[in-house]
Structures are given as C-alpha cells and as structure tokens.
Amino acid sequence: MVTKAQFKHIQLLADKKYRREHKQFVVEGEKMVAELLSSSLTIDILYALPEWIEANASILHHYPVVTVAYFELEKMSSFKTPNQVLAIVSMPVWTEPSFTWALLLDGIQDPGNFGSIIRIADWYDISAVYRTELCADPFNHKVIQASMGSIFRIPVHSVDPVQFLQQQAEIPKYAAVLQGTDVHNLQTSEKGILMIGNESKGIQDELLALSSHRISIPSRGKAESLNAAVATGILCDVILSKS
C-alpha cells in the first residue's frame, strides 16, 4: 500500500525546485526502467504492478520494490496511460570528464529537443553535455523520455558557459550559426566543443565571441531554420566523420 506521503512526494518531484532540493527524479515505463536497471545510477525505490515484478524477479533482489495496484500507479504517473513501473532515482553526481568531444547547449528550452540531443550525444559517443541555466532541466520527465535512457549514461553538467569556455582555451570551439562556414568544407581537429543555441535566438553573443569557428549546415530549400536536435545530429555526423 502506498502512503499519502509517498504519493505527495512523487507528485511534487514534477517540480524542478523540489527535485533539486531532494536530489531525486522520476523514471517511468518498462523500457526506461530496463535502461535504468542496466545503468550505474542509484534507484531509491520502485513502484510496480505485480506482473512486472514477477517478470523481473531475478534482477530485483538488490532494489526496494513496492507492489502497487493499477489505480495507484495511475495516480503517480505523469502519463495519461501509465506503464507497469515507476522508479524514484537519486540524481547522479557526475565527475568532470576529460573529453575528446563535448556539446555546450545554450538556451535549449524545449524538453523534447534537449532529451533528443542527449540521445544524439550517446549515439556518437560524445563524452559529456554542458548546459547553461537557460536550458531545460535535464531531469524534467519529458527530457528523460526523449533521451530514451541516454540521460543515464551521458553526464550533463550545468556550467557558467563563459568560464567553461575560457578554461578550455586549447580546445577548438565550433559554434552553430545560420551564416557560417559550410560544415562540409571544414577541417576539424581530433577534439572540440560543439556549441548549439536556441532555435530563434541562437547562441549568446558573449559565447560566440569565444568560439574559434562559426559553422553552418547549408540550406537547399526555403525553411528558415532546422530543429535544434536535427541540426545537432547532422553536425555531429559531419564533424565526427572528419575527426
């Protein structure tokens, strides 16, 4: 039986301030929890339907599990139709990596885009994602879902972007802009930082000033711009194929 206090805690974790205060976030669904169970993150508690617990009994002996009825899971869930399992997870404390390639995201406010970019970073084996405070919260449930589990593997660091870029003085910094060098004609190095900005506002001027290269994806049609996640995927593919 789930207590009123547990229900309240789970529901309040939808709030960014509450998540940060308690250093926890929610993961929902069979696929996402399967990814979570194979990661190094700490699972504080699992709430699951009896059939899910029975199907996964062989891997659950190390975790605190609470059996719930469907109506209880429905009250906890942020989805219209809940899945079979919901997890409360401790926020990871990522160590600062020594990276070959990293992403710096500035003003990526749409959770779906943010999560998709984390997934792209995972696909291309990018060491870390750095974010300015203008970005969506990485532990927003929509970011987590869009990342398809990549958020459990790719470190996401919140930084002062000016200070961060200044500290990486020897590393090339590639800023994605609308009017820049065609990325296909660019000679890239073995390491670097790819900077992606807000779709409408772009990268902040103070960060652009610290870039070493301004790069673009050439347009052949009439669209005003590309979705930030789509642009990130194209740029990663072109740049990393040359490095």
Side-chain angles (χ1 to χ4, degrees):
M1 188 73 179
V2 184
T3 67
K4 288 182 179 180
Q6 287 173 315
F7 274 124
K8 185 176 180 181
H9 180 64
I10 293 164
Q11 290 162 355
L12 285 172
L13 285 172
D15 179 72
K16 178 173 71 174
K17 185 177 179 181
Y18 189 84
R19 283 196 299 273
R20 290 185 177 183
E21 179 185 346
H22 289 267
K23 296 181 170 55
Q24 290 180 314
F25 63 99
V26 175
V27 175
E28 294 189 60
E30 299 97 308
K31 181 172 176 54
M32 293 295 289
V33 171
E35 291 275 359
L36 179 63
L37 288 166
S38 66
S39 77
S40 61
L41 272 61
T42 300
I43 300 171
D44 296 326
I45 191 165
L46 290 159
Y47 297 95
L49 299 180
E51 54 265 38
W52 186 89
I53 295 172
E54 183 179 353
N56 294 276
S58 62
I59 59 171
L60 295 179
H61 47 279
H62 294 306
Y63 304 100
V65 183
V66 175
T67 304
V68 296
Y70 183 83
F71 79 91
E72 292 177 303
L73 198 59
E74 196 171 29
K75 283 175 67 176
M76 297 175 186
S77 179
S78 60
F79 299 153
K80 289 182 179 179
T81 303
N83 286 277
Q84 294 188 354
V85 59
L86 179 150
I88 307 299
V89 188
S90 290
M91 286 187 181
V93 179
W94 299 114
T95 56
E96 193 72 21
S98 104
F99 60 80
T100 303
W101 281 91
L103 301 179
L104 174 60
L105 307 183
D106 179 34
I108 305 299
Q109 297 172 336
D110 180 81
N113 273 341
F114 194 100
S116 295
I117 290 172
I118 295 170
R119 188 178 179 186
I120 289 164
D122 193 14
W123 180 264
Y124 285 101
D125 196 25
I126 288 172
S127 307
V129 173
Y130 294 84
R131 64 179 283 278
T132 69
E133 282 298 326
L134 297 174
C135 291
D137 175 31
F139 297 106
N140 176 299
H141 77 96
K142 291 182 180 179
V143 174
I144 293 168
Q145 290 300 131
S147 82
M148 293 299 290
S150 293
I151 187 71
F152 310 144
R153 293 182 288 272
I154 299 298
V156 179
H157 300 278
S158 298
V159 294
D160 176 325
V162 171
Q163 185 179 55
F164 169 70
L165 291 173
Q166 288 174 338
Q167 289 171 344
Q168 313 300 328
E170 304 302 317
I171 297 179
K173 302 160 190 73
Y174 300 87
V177 298
L178 287 176
Q179 302 297 326
T181 300
D182 182 342
V183 66
H184 298 92
N185 298 330
L186 188 71
Q187 294 297 316
T188 62
S189 61
E190 293 182 354
K191 58 172 59 179
I193 298 168
L194 175 58
M195 301 161 61
I196 305 292
N198 181 279
E199 287 179 23
S200 59
K201 298 177 182 177
I203 298 168
Q204 297 176 73
D205 289 341
E206 61 181 344
L207 304 185
L208 274 178
L210 294 170
S211 67
S212 49
H213 305 275
R214 300 187 185 193
I215 59 174
S216 296
I217 301 166
S219 169
R220 298 189 182 189
K222 296 180 180 179
E224 183 180 338
S225 65
L226 282 173
N227 170 284
V230 171
T232 302
I234 295 169
L235 291 170
C236 285
D237 194 71
V238 175
I239 290 172
L240 293 175
S241 69
K242 296 183 176 191
S243 63

